[in-house]
C-alpha cells in the first residue's frame, strides 16, 4: 500500500436494548468522523441488535462470518468496533478476520498520538496507550514466566511476553515520573498567574465545536484549526484584550467526546485542570450539530467529574450562520449566539465577557493628580477603567472603573478614595 493511500475501513456497531435508536445512530456517525480524522476511508458500516455483547466475539457468530466475507469482498484493511473490546474479544476477532481489528478507544488514542505536539501531550498519549495495551498483550501468561515443575512449565525462563510486560510497566512508571515534574511546573505557572491577579478564562466544549477558531479570533493567535475531531490537543494560553483595554488570559483546551476512554481522561487530567483553575469558562457548543444537546450534556458531565461545575459559565452557541432555524438554546442563565467568522459577533462576545468580568469586581471612583502617570497606566492595564476625565479646574484625573479585591492596586485605590472623602 502506498503511503498516500488511505486504509479501507469497515465499521461495526452493536446496539443493546437500552441504546436509544437516535443516540446509537449518532454514535456510529461519530465513529465515521473519527475514522476520517484518522485518515481512513469507510467502505462499509454494519450493525447488529443484541440483548448483550457476546463475551467471546462482541457480536454474534453469524455476524462474524458475515464480516469475514465483507473483509474479503471489499479488501478492507481495518475493522473498527464502536465499543471498547475486551482482551479476549480482541484476540478472537483478530484470529477470525483477515484485517486489523481495533476498537473506538484505540482509534481515539491513534488520533491523539498524531495530534500531540508538546512533550507533555506526547507523554500523556503514550501513557494512555501503554495502559490500554498492557492487559491486551497476547501469550500464555504467567505459566511460562519461570522455570518450574509439571507439564508446560519447563522452558527458557522468562518469556518474551513477560519481558514485554515488565518493560511496559517500567515505561509507565517513568512516564508518570516525568509527568509529575511537568505538572509541578504547570502548577507553578498557575500559582504565579494567581498571585499576579490575572483573570483566567478557559474555552471548553465538544470536539469540533469551533473552539480553536473562536480562540484565534478572540486573541489573534494562530492555533491549528480544521474541520476535524481533536484538531487541538495541547492547551494554548494567550492574552485577550477586552474592549475597555483590560487584559485577561484565555486558554484553548482539548475537545471532549462521548465515551472518552477512561485512560485518556486520567492521562489528560493535568491538561483539563486548566479549566479547573479558570475564573470563568466559555462553554462552546456547535449549534449546527443536530446532536448539540447530547454534546452539551457530555461536556457538563466531564466538568462535573473534574469538579469544575461551580466555576461561572457562559454558553457560546457557535456557527449561527449555518444553524437550523428550529434551533433552541438550552435554558441557561447566560448564553450568546455567534459565528466565529463574524467580527461583529466577536466584538459582542468580548463585551459580554467584559460584563461577566466586571460582575466579579468592585467599583471604584477616584481622583488622581496629573503626575501619577505610572498609576494611571496601571489602572488602564490592571483594572477595568471605564472613564478617565481630566478636570482643568483641579488639574486632577477623575477615574471610574472596577478592580479585583485581591489586586495589588486595590489598597492604593482605597487610599485615594479615603482621601477624597
Amino acid at each position: 500500500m502506498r503511503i498516500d493511500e488511505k486504509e479501507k475501513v469497515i465499521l461495526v456497531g452493536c446496539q443493546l436494548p437500552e441504546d436509544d435508536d437516535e443516540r446509537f445512530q449518532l454514535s456510529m456517525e461519530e465513529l465515521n468522523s473519527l475514522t476520517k480524522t484518522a485518515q481512513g476511508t469507510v467502505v462499509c458500516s454494519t450493525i447488529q441488535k443484541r440483548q448483550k455483547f457476546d463475551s467471546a466475539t462482541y457480536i454474534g457468530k453469524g455476524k462474524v462470518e458475515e464480516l469475514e466475507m465483507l473483509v474479503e469482498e471489499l479488501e478492507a484493511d481495518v475493522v473498527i468496533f464502536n465499543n471498547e473490546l475486551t482482551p479476549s474479544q480482541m484476540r478472537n476477532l483478530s484470529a477470525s478476520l483477515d484485517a486489523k481489528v481495533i476498537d473506538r478507544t484505540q482509534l481515539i488514542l491513534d488520533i491523539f498520538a498524531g495530534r500531540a505536539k508538546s512533550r507533555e501531550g506526547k507523554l500523556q498519549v503514550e501513557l494512555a496507550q501503554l495502559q490500554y495495551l498492557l492487559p491486551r498483550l497476547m501469550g500464555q501468561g504467567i505459566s511460562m514466566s519461570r522455570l518450574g515443575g509439571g507439564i508446560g512449565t519447563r522452558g527458557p525462563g522468562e518469556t518474551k511476553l513477560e519481558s514485554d510486560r515488565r518493560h511496559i510497566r517500567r515505561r509507565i512508571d517513568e512516564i508518570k515520573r516525568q509527568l509529575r515534574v511537568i505538572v509541578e511546573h504547570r502548577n507553578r505557572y498557575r500559582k504565579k498567574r494567581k498571585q499576579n491577579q490575572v483573570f483566567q478564562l478557559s474555552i471548553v466544549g465538544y470536539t469540533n465545536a469551533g473552539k480553536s477558531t473562536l480562540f484565534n479570533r478572540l486573541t489573534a493567535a494562530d492555533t491549528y484549526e480544521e474541520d476535524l475531531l481533536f484538531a487541538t490537543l495541547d492547551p494554548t494560553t494567550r492574552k485577550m484584550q477586552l474592549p475597555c483595554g483590560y487584559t485577561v488570559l484565555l486558554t484553548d483546551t482539548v475537545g471532549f467526546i462521548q465515551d472518552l476512554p477512561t485512560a485518556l481522561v486520567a492521562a489528560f487530567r493535568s491538561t483539563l485542570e486548566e479549566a479547573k483553575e479558570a475564573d470563568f469558562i466559555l462553554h462552546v457548543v456547535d449549534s449546527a450539530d443536530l446532536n448539540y444537546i447530547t454534546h452539551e450534556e457530555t461536556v457538563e458531565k466531564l466538568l462535573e467529574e473534574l469538579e469544575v461545575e461551580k466555576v461561572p459559565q457562559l454558553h457560546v452557541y457557535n456557527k449561527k450562520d449555518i444553524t437550523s432555524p428550529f434551533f433552541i438554546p438550552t435554558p441557561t442563565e447566560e448564553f450568546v449566539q455567534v459565528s466565529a467568522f463574524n467580527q461583529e459577533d466577536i466584538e459582542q462576545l468580548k463585551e459580554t465577557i467584559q460584563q461577566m468580568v466586571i460582575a466579579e469586581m468592585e467599583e471604584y471612583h477616584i481622583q488622581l493628580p496629573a503626575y501619577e502617570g505610572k498609576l494611571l497606566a496601571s489602572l488602564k492595564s490592571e483594572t477595568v477603567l471605564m472613564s478617565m476625565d481630566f478636570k482643568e479646574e483641579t488639574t486632577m484625573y477623575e477615574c471610574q472603573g472596577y478592580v479585583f479585591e485581591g489586586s495589588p492596586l486595590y489598597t492604593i485605590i482605597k487610599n485615594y478614595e479615603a482621601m477624597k472623602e
Side-chain angles (χ1 to χ4, degrees), residues 307-323:
E307 299 171 354
V308 184
E309 76 277 10
K310 291 180 182 176
V311 178
Q313 271 190 53
L314 172 67
H315 278 63
V316 182
Y317 290 102
N318 192 23
K319 309 184 185 180
K320 80 171 188 183
D321 50 325
I322 54 172
T323 298

Side-chain angles (χ1 to χ4, degrees), residues 341-388:
F341 298 106
N342 185 313
Q343 193 54 42
E344 283 183 21
D345 286 353
I346 295 298
E347 294 307 319
Q348 183 57 48
L349 178 57
K350 283 187 176 182
E351 286 282 355
T352 306
I353 292 169
Q354 181 170 293
Q355 294 307 313
M356 299 286 194
V357 172
I358 286 172
E360 303 291 316
M361 302 171 107
E362 195 171 314
E363 189 176 7
Y364 67 82
H365 198 148
I366 58 173
Q367 290 183 339
L368 294 176
Y371 59 79
E372 283 282 19
K374 190 176 178 182
L375 181 55
L376 285 165
S378 295
L379 290 181
K380 288 178 185 177
S381 60
E382 296 173 41
T383 76
V384 174
L385 184 60
M386 302 303 290
S387 64
M388 183 173 69

Side-chain angles (χ1 to χ4, degrees), residues 139-403:
Q140 286 181 284
I142 200 162
S143 65
M144 294 288 285
S145 68
R146 62 182 67 82
L147 292 169
I151 298 169
T153 61
R154 290 178 285 268
E158 185 177 54
T159 63
K160 180 72 168 65
L161 176 66
E162 280 300 306
S163 174
D164 287 346
R165 281 181 176 158
R166 190 164 48 83
H167 173 74
I168 288 173
R169 288 193 187 101
R170 192 180 294 145
R171 180 62 184 152
I172 285 173
D173 290 340
E174 173 59 21
I175 292 172
K176 284 181 176 177
R177 186 193 64 77
Q178 290 184 41
L179 282 173
R180 276 196 296 271
V181 174
I182 293 171
V183 169
E184 285 169 15
H185 186 66
R186 188 188 289 277
N187 286 339
R188 281 197 294 273
Y189 265 111
R190 286 191 193 128
K191 196 174 179 182
K192 193 172 181 181
R193 292 204 299 249
K194 285 288 182 189
Q195 286 172 346
N196 293 340
Q197 284 297 313
V198 181
F199 195 84
Q200 298 174 62
L201 298 100
S202 277
I203 294 183
V204 304
Y206 207 78
T207 182
N208 207 28
K211 297 184 298 301
S212 294
T213 306
L214 205 58
F215 176 80
N216 288 343
R217 301 303 179 275
L218 289 168
T219 64
D222 57 355
T223 305
Y224 177 71
E225 55 182 75
E226 195 174 335
D227 184 19
L228 287 175
L229 302 183
F230 300 117
T232 301
L233 191 56
D234 300 309
T236 310
T237 301
R238 293 282 183 273
K239 288 180 179 178
M240 178 178 78
Q241 198 169 54
L242 297 178
C244 63
Y246 182 65
T247 302
V248 297
L249 289 181
L250 185 64
T251 300
D252 187 18
T253 61
V254 62
F256 296 171
I257 194 168
Q258 244 178 290
D259 308 318
L260 189 66
T262 310
L264 271 175
V265 175
F268 280 83
R269 187 165 286 273
S270 66
T271 305
L272 295 170
E273 277 178 359
E274 285 291 340
K276 193 173 181 178
E277 293 298 321
D279 298 298
F280 199 83
I281 286 174
L282 298 180
H283 180 172
V284 181
V285 181
D286 179 358
S287 57
D289 194 304
L290 297 175
N291 201 25
Y292 73 92
I293 295 174
T294 304
H295 292 179
E296 273 187 282
E297 289 170 354
T298 300
V299 174
E300 293 292 349
K301 188 181 173 187
L302 275 164
L303 288 175
E304 204 174 307
E305 285 177 21
L306 291 163
E307 299 171 354
V308 184
E309 76 277 10
K310 291 180 182 176
V311 178
Q313 271 190 53
L314 172 67
H315 278 63
V316 182
Y317 290 102
N318 192 23
K319 309 184 185 180
K320 80 171 188 183
D321 50 325
I322 54 172
T323 298
S324 161
F326 304 106
F327 168 75
I328 302 171
T330 306
T332 56
E333 289 183 16
E334 299 288 346
F335 73 86
V336 291
Q337 285 182 265
V338 302
S339 166
F341 298 106
N342 185 313
Q343 193 54 42
E344 283 183 21
D345 286 353
I346 295 298
E347 294 307 319
Q348 183 57 48
L349 178 57
K350 283 187 176 182
E351 286 282 355
T352 306
I353 292 169
Q354 181 170 293
Q355 294 307 313
M356 299 286 194
V357 172
I358 286 172
E360 303 291 316
M361 302 171 107
E362 195 171 314
E363 189 176 7
Y364 67 82
H365 198 148
I366 58 173
Q367 290 183 339
L368 294 176
Y371 59 79
E372 283 282 19
K374 190 176 178 182
L375 181 55
L376 285 165
S378 295
L379 290 181
K380 288 178 185 177
S381 60
E382 296 173 41
T383 76
V384 174
L385 184 60
M386 302 303 290
S387 64
M388 183 173 69
D389 299 317
F390 182 69
K391 304 292 181 183
E392 287 188 15
E393 61 273 17
T394 59
T395 65
M396 301 280 275
Y397 282 96
E398 198 168 292
C399 304
Q400 185 267 324
Y402 298 87
V403 64

Side-chain angles (χ1 to χ4, degrees), residues 8 12 14 18 28 30 42 45-46 54 69 72 92 113 128 169 203-204 234 240 251 254 290 309 377 389 397-398 421:
K8 293 179 181 177
V12 184
C14 186
E18 61 266 25
M28 289 299 293
E30 191 168 77
V42 176
S45 182
T46 180
D54 188 289
M69 289 186 285
E72 190 178 341
N92 295 334
R169 288 193 187 101
I203 294 183
V204 304
D234 300 309
M240 178 178 78
T251 300
V254 62
L290 297 175
E309 76 277 10
D389 299 317
Y397 282 96
E398 198 168 292
E421 291 170 6

